[in-house]
Amino acid sequence: MSRLFRESRRDSSSSNGSSAVAAASSAGGGGGLPSPFPDLGVPLSAADLREAAYEVLVASSRTTGGKPLTYIPQAASAAGGGGGGPASPASASSLSSANTSSPSLQRSLTSAAASKMKKALGLRSSASSKGGSPGSGGVGAKGAPPRRPATVGELMRVQMRVSEHADARIRRGLLRIAASQLGRRAESMVLPLEFLQQFKASDIPDPQEYEAWQSRNLKLLEAGLLVHPLVPLNKSDVSAQRLRQIIRGAYDRPLETGKNSESMQVLRSAVMSLAGRSDDGTSDGCHWADGFPLNLHLYQMLVEACFDNDDGTVVDEIDEVMELLKKTWGILGINQMLHNLCFAWALFNHFVMSGQVDIELLSAAENQLAEVAKDAKTTKDPNYSKVLSSTLSSIMGWTEKRLLAYHETFNTSNIESMQGIVSIGVSAARVLVEDISHEYRRRRKEETDVARSRIETYIRSSLRTAFAQRMEEADSKRSSRNPTPVLSILATDIGDLAIKEKNLYSPILKTWHPLASGVAVATLHSCFGNELKQFIAGLTELTPDTVQVLKAADKLEKDLVNIAVEDSVDSDDGGKSLIREMPPYEAENAIANLVKVWIKERIDRLKGWVDRTLKQETWNPAANRENIAPSCVEMLRMVGETLDAFFQLPIPMHPVLLPDLMFGLDRSLQLYVSKAKSGCGTRNSFMPQLPPLTRCEVGSNLLFKKKEKPQNPQYRGSQNGTTNGADPLALPQLCVRLNTLQFMRGELENLEKKIKTGLRNVESAQADVTDGLDIKFELCQTACQEGIQQLCETTAYKVTFYDLGHVLWDILYIGDIASSRVEILLRELDPILETISGMVHNKVRNRAITALMKATFDGFLLVLLAGGPLRAFTRQDSQIIEDDFKALKDLFLADGDGLPEELVDKASSQVKNILPLLRTDSESLIDRFKRMMAESNRSAAKNRLPLPPTTGHWSPNEPNTVLRVLCYRYDETATKFLKKTYNLPKKI
């Protein structure tokens, strides 16, 4: 016996009452929950507790009348009893005596199809009686078929796994106790003490069995009176010290038991002294098994008898079994509230042990837990609250482990159990928070919706877990055969997950949280948003993978938001709080930003190409048949390729981003045009500086001596400075520039058509996609128009004043007028006109010739009004000059094949207005000049005419023009006037 005690003590840390109850709960089924009750601190096994609980059951069920308890088990032969030999066969009279003397235990079992308790719990009764007894304890002779227990007592024995041998000993002991203490109630007896006094070592022949039996009873006394007494002990309690010494002494030397042993008398004295104590000092009960948690461990063993040993279902005879259990309440200190709690935990535990497939047990546990919730609101018993807290925490811990990742726990095959599990988890949480939590009681209850809060926690936790799993799966799906970006795969999976959540789980969770779907998709939105944010932060360029991810993210976001909106239509705020929880991914903005970077890179590349290429462009007319620059063809090709690449981008917002691209391309083309005309100068670049005013030397037959060289006007040199054959400002090169700008201008229209076609073909195209879009290269169009105009003028004035300058200044009207007429100029102009007509595009040809005509007229007029001191004209020369000018006009009219007559007339109007001044006599010119000067200089001093400024706008009504006619008049009157008025010299 001492050996057994030592081994038990050595294993007490791991084999205490808590693990014993857990072992008893899980016997015959799957793994159950850990016991919610505190450890006993005494090494009592599950078998020890079951046998002790059975003793309490039988003792509490015995009659209190005068008839003896003579129950004999229903077996072919009774098991060996206290005398050591086999019992005699049971007789009909003795069985009858047993049935009548203990009606509670001996009541015959009937069909329980109409069980009130099962109906209350929502359980169905068996369709027919079981074919055999529950469990394995009731097996008869070897090879005999299992038999059904005939009485409640037999059912309880089998359910509690008590052997017939042990049952016989217990009943024999109770008969002896009843005989010695006739009429005494079980509540007033210390059963372990009474059994120790009724049996001695000789009554149990097997020494090991006797030691184990004695050890169990002493441990029960230790647990009930020393470790967990109902009434707390004083440290100086003599009886407690004595009892500890007796139990400790039994470790080394077995205790001598039996009625008359001295050791038993000492033990009885100590035990009864401790068991008889009460809070109020008066009690006829014996408090040896009603202290927490020993009574709960014992009662839980009794509650386990409500469940079939084979399949874990509630027995059909539950009503009769419950009647028996209630009889033990007096001994164990159990009340209805504790019973409800223990039974609720047992129902739920057996559901767990069933592998979570017995939905009836789950439903019963849910109904029973509703009773526990009612009880929790009506009591403030601290002991009950502790047990309630530990029990519900055990249940809630199991449910939350599954509900915090319900996507892993539940699927279409077991989804029906989710409703009950959620209900139980929420109910447990409510009781724990609302009825036990002191912090909660100090606050206003309406501030916290426990159920909604728990459901939201389950949803968010489960969805985050599911999201993490989908991320791993998405990563594993991508391979060399499937190059789809991970986030694209993930977005698709999350979309499927959201649909599954909405259809499978949310209908259940909506019972407690009306926005279950919304919370779920908001959580998924946040999880994916975190990944997307990191992805976007690392983007540097637009790639097909990038666009695929961002488009998938945009689609996912729209799907999630739609679910949230649908779910929150009837909510108080219309779902605004949920939508606020879903900040936009800005996927389209991210795509737009990347496209803008893409556009900038290509525009910058294009501009760099323009800068490099036009520095090397020679404007060679032999480069192609069209007489256009190869760089222009290449430039337009690159622009077209950029547009093609843009429309091939797999993005959903081509119309939105097109203006950015068009503006960049427009600026690049404008840059090309600007470079193409830069360096060519303007008309003013080739206009000569006018020589100083002089007067003619009258009286000499020759206007100048042979040895004198003409004094030509000074020129503003070409900005390019080259005059060799590679001159980029030579006439052919200038014609190529003109053609290039005209060619580009025409191609811009083709590009605009290309853009409209591209827009209609993109995936985001709509019927009116081009409506409202200003698809024009306005900057380049304007630059081309201005450039063509500038190049026409530049070409004309460069040809007139630079290429033909020697004719104008060195030949025309130098010396004898009749011998230096305009024919030489016409001969020089003719090949120039042929060059322009043959090279320049027909759409700008007339503009170029018109500009040349105007420049020629300006040069002709400049010879007459600013030709220098070597030129002098008489009134008679006017007719020659008029004839020459007519010939010059005829050159451009070309007998009707040239420019339109009205255009020529308009261009020649200025010269035509000036020519009459050449026929006017000098006196009239002087009078006219004085009159105009007087009108324009009213404040000037009399007899003093200021020199009129040179404006360059020649007109017969402009003083400087009239003055210049006088300066070149070979006439004494004119010379004297100029000498007297302005003292003009005769030569420069």
Side-chain angles (χ1 to χ4, degrees), residues 566-583:
E566 289 175 8
D567 194 49
S568 55
V569 169
D570 298 327
S571 63
D572 294 338
D573 64 351
K576 291 181 181 178
S577 58
L578 276 178
I579 299 303
R580 282 196 296 269
E581 196 180 326
M582 303 169 71

mmCIF file of all heavy atoms in Angstrom, residues 566-583:
data_model
loop_
_atom_site.group_PDB
_atom_site.id
_atom_site.type_symbol
_atom_site.label_atom_id
_atom_site.label_comp_id
_atom_site.label_asym_id
_atom_site.label_seq_id
_atom_site.Cartn_x
_atom_site.Cartn_y
_atom_site.Cartn_z
ATOM 1 N N GLU A 566 -23.557 46.288 -51.362
ATOM 2 C CA GLU A 566 -24.760 45.446 -51.310
ATOM 3 C C GLU A 566 -25.076 45.037 -49.874
ATOM 4 O O GLU A 566 -26.239 44.993 -49.464
ATOM 5 C CB GLU A 566 -24.538 44.189 -52.156
ATOM 6 C CG GLU A 566 -24.506 44.445 -53.651
ATOM 7 C CD GLU A 566 -24.157 43.187 -54.420
ATOM 8 O OE1 GLU A 566 -24.103 42.102 -53.788
ATOM 9 O OE2 GLU A 566 -23.942 43.267 -55.645
ATOM 10 N N ASP A 567 -24.029 44.758 -49.111
ATOM 11 C CA ASP A 567 -24.226 44.268 -47.746
ATOM 12 C C ASP A 567 -24.707 45.358 -46.806
ATOM 13 O O ASP A 567 -25.308 45.069 -45.768
ATOM 14 C CB ASP A 567 -22.904 43.677 -47.234
ATOM 15 C CG ASP A 567 -23.093 42.840 -45.983
ATOM 16 O OD1 ASP A 567 -23.988 41.972 -45.984
ATOM 17 O OD2 ASP A 567 -22.359 43.054 -45.007
ATOM 18 N N SER A 568 -24.412 46.609 -47.132
ATOM 19 C CA SER A 568 -24.687 47.693 -46.184
ATOM 20 C C SER A 568 -25.814 48.610 -46.633
ATOM 21 O O SER A 568 -25.953 49.712 -46.106
ATOM 22 C CB SER A 568 -23.415 48.510 -45.970
ATOM 23 O OG SER A 568 -22.910 48.972 -47.205
ATOM 24 N N VAL A 569 -26.603 48.162 -47.589
ATOM 25 C CA VAL A 569 -27.692 49.004 -48.091
ATOM 26 C C VAL A 569 -28.643 49.391 -46.970
ATOM 27 O O VAL A 569 -29.095 50.542 -46.870
ATOM 28 C CB VAL A 569 -28.462 48.273 -49.219
ATOM 29 C CG1 VAL A 569 -29.743 49.012 -49.559
ATOM 30 C CG2 VAL A 569 -27.578 48.146 -50.450
ATOM 31 N N ASP A 570 -28.950 48.441 -46.108
ATOM 32 C CA ASP A 570 -29.938 48.692 -45.051
ATOM 33 C C ASP A 570 -29.314 49.121 -43.733
ATOM 34 O O ASP A 570 -30.014 49.219 -42.713
ATOM 35 C CB ASP A 570 -30.766 47.416 -44.820
ATOM 36 C CG ASP A 570 -31.546 47.017 -46.064
ATOM 37 O OD1 ASP A 570 -31.960 47.920 -46.814
ATOM 38 O OD2 ASP A 570 -31.730 45.810 -46.292
ATOM 39 N N SER A 571 -28.002 49.353 -43.703
ATOM 40 C CA SER A 571 -27.365 49.751 -42.444
ATOM 41 C C SER A 571 -27.682 51.208 -42.125
ATOM 42 O O SER A 571 -28.143 51.970 -42.972
ATOM 43 C CB SER A 571 -25.849 49.559 -42.530
ATOM 44 O OG SER A 571 -25.310 50.403 -43.521
ATOM 45 N N ASP A 572 -27.405 51.578 -40.896
ATOM 46 C CA ASP A 572 -27.748 52.927 -40.438
ATOM 47 C C ASP A 572 -27.055 54.013 -41.249
ATOM 48 O O ASP A 572 -27.647 55.040 -41.576
ATOM 49 C CB ASP A 572 -27.387 53.088 -38.950
ATOM 50 C CG ASP A 572 -28.251 52.184 -38.069
ATOM 51 O OD1 ASP A 572 -29.347 51.787 -38.536
ATOM 52 O OD2 ASP A 572 -27.838 51.867 -36.948
ATOM 53 N N ASP A 573 -25.773 53.791 -41.547
ATOM 54 C CA ASP A 573 -25.027 54.824 -42.271
ATOM 55 C C ASP A 573 -24.869 54.514 -43.743
ATOM 56 O O ASP A 573 -24.096 55.171 -44.448
ATOM 57 C CB ASP A 573 -23.641 55.020 -41.648
ATOM 58 C CG ASP A 573 -22.771 53.779 -41.769
ATOM 59 O OD1 ASP A 573 -23.307 52.720 -42.177
ATOM 60 O OD2 ASP A 573 -21.567 53.861 -41.456
ATOM 61 N N GLY A 574 -25.609 53.496 -44.210
ATOM 62 C CA GLY A 574 -25.525 53.156 -45.623
ATOM 63 C C GLY A 574 -24.180 52.596 -46.032
ATOM 64 O O GLY A 574 -23.836 52.579 -47.201
ATOM 65 N N GLY A 575 -23.425 52.116 -45.059
ATOM 66 C CA GLY A 575 -22.129 51.503 -45.354
ATOM 67 C C GLY A 575 -20.976 52.475 -45.444
ATOM 68 O O GLY A 575 -19.876 52.111 -45.856
ATOM 69 N N LYS A 576 -21.201 53.742 -45.028
ATOM 70 C CA LYS A 576 -20.135 54.736 -45.143
ATOM 71 C C LYS A 576 -18.916 54.354 -44.313
ATOM 72 O O LYS A 576 -17.777 54.562 -44.727
ATOM 73 C CB LYS A 576 -20.652 56.105 -44.719
ATOM 74 C CG LYS A 576 -21.676 56.702 -45.680
ATOM 75 C CD LYS A 576 -22.139 58.075 -45.205
ATOM 76 C CE LYS A 576 -23.182 58.659 -46.168
ATOM 77 N NZ LYS A 576 -23.670 59.969 -45.691
ATOM 78 N N SER A 577 -19.161 53.802 -43.114
ATOM 79 C CA SER A 577 -18.036 53.430 -42.256
ATOM 80 C C SER A 577 -17.185 52.352 -42.911
ATOM 81 O O SER A 577 -15.949 52.372 -42.818
ATOM 82 C CB SER A 577 -18.544 52.942 -40.898
ATOM 83 O OG SER A 577 -19.415 51.834 -41.064
ATOM 84 N N LEU A 578 -17.835 51.407 -43.581
ATOM 85 C CA LEU A 578 -17.087 50.345 -44.254
ATOM 86 C C LEU A 578 -16.318 50.900 -45.448
ATOM 87 O O LEU A 578 -15.154 50.544 -45.666
ATOM 88 C CB LEU A 578 -18.039 49.242 -44.731
ATOM 89 C CG LEU A 578 -18.424 48.171 -43.712
ATOM 90 C CD1 LEU A 578 -19.400 47.191 -44.326
ATOM 91 C CD2 LEU A 578 -17.182 47.439 -43.218
ATOM 92 N N ILE A 579 -16.963 51.756 -46.201
ATOM 93 C CA ILE A 579 -16.297 52.319 -47.371
ATOM 94 C C ILE A 579 -15.099 53.163 -46.941
ATOM 95 O O ILE A 579 -14.059 53.166 -47.603
ATOM 96 C CB ILE A 579 -17.284 53.153 -48.211
ATOM 97 C CG1 ILE A 579 -18.435 52.272 -48.699
ATOM 98 C CG2 ILE A 579 -16.580 53.793 -49.386
ATOM 99 C CD1 ILE A 579 -18.018 51.068 -49.505
ATOM 100 N N ARG A 580 -15.244 53.870 -45.810
ATOM 101 C CA ARG A 580 -14.104 54.642 -45.302
ATOM 102 C C ARG A 580 -12.953 53.729 -44.923
ATOM 103 O O ARG A 580 -11.789 54.134 -44.935
ATOM 104 C CB ARG A 580 -14.527 55.475 -44.091
ATOM 105 C CG ARG A 580 -15.285 56.740 -44.452
ATOM 106 C CD ARG A 580 -15.348 57.703 -43.280
ATOM 107 N NE ARG A 580 -16.085 57.153 -42.167
ATOM 108 C CZ ARG A 580 -17.381 57.303 -41.963
ATOM 109 N NH1 ARG A 580 -18.096 58.005 -42.846
ATOM 110 N NH2 ARG A 580 -17.981 56.774 -40.923
ATOM 111 N N GLU A 581 -13.290 52.502 -44.578
ATOM 112 C CA GLU A 581 -12.262 51.533 -44.198
ATOM 113 C C GLU A 581 -11.564 50.948 -45.431
ATOM 114 O O GLU A 581 -10.630 50.171 -45.310
ATOM 115 C CB GLU A 581 -12.911 50.391 -43.396
ATOM 116 C CG GLU A 581 -11.946 49.531 -42.615
ATOM 117 C CD GLU A 581 -12.660 48.435 -41.850
ATOM 118 O OE1 GLU A 581 -13.790 48.669 -41.396
ATOM 119 O OE2 GLU A 581 -12.079 47.353 -41.706
ATOM 120 N N MET A 582 -12.034 51.317 -46.607
ATOM 121 C CA MET A 582 -11.487 50.771 -47.848
ATOM 122 C C MET A 582 -10.940 51.900 -48.720
ATOM 123 O O MET A 582 -11.521 52.248 -49.746
ATOM 124 C CB MET A 582 -12.573 49.987 -48.603
ATOM 125 C CG MET A 582 -13.175 48.864 -47.793
ATOM 126 S SD MET A 582 -14.669 48.136 -48.539
ATOM 127 C CE MET A 582 -13.957 47.259 -49.926
ATOM 128 N N PRO A 583 -9.845 52.530 -48.306
ATOM 129 C CA PRO A 583 -9.279 53.611 -49.130
ATOM 130 C C PRO A 583 -8.907 53.080 -50.505
ATOM 131 O O PRO A 583 -8.411 51.965 -50.627
ATOM 132 C CB PRO A 583 -8.035 54.048 -48.340
ATOM 133 C CG PRO A 583 -7.692 52.871 -47.484
ATOM 134 C CD PRO A 583 -8.987 52.215 -47.153
#
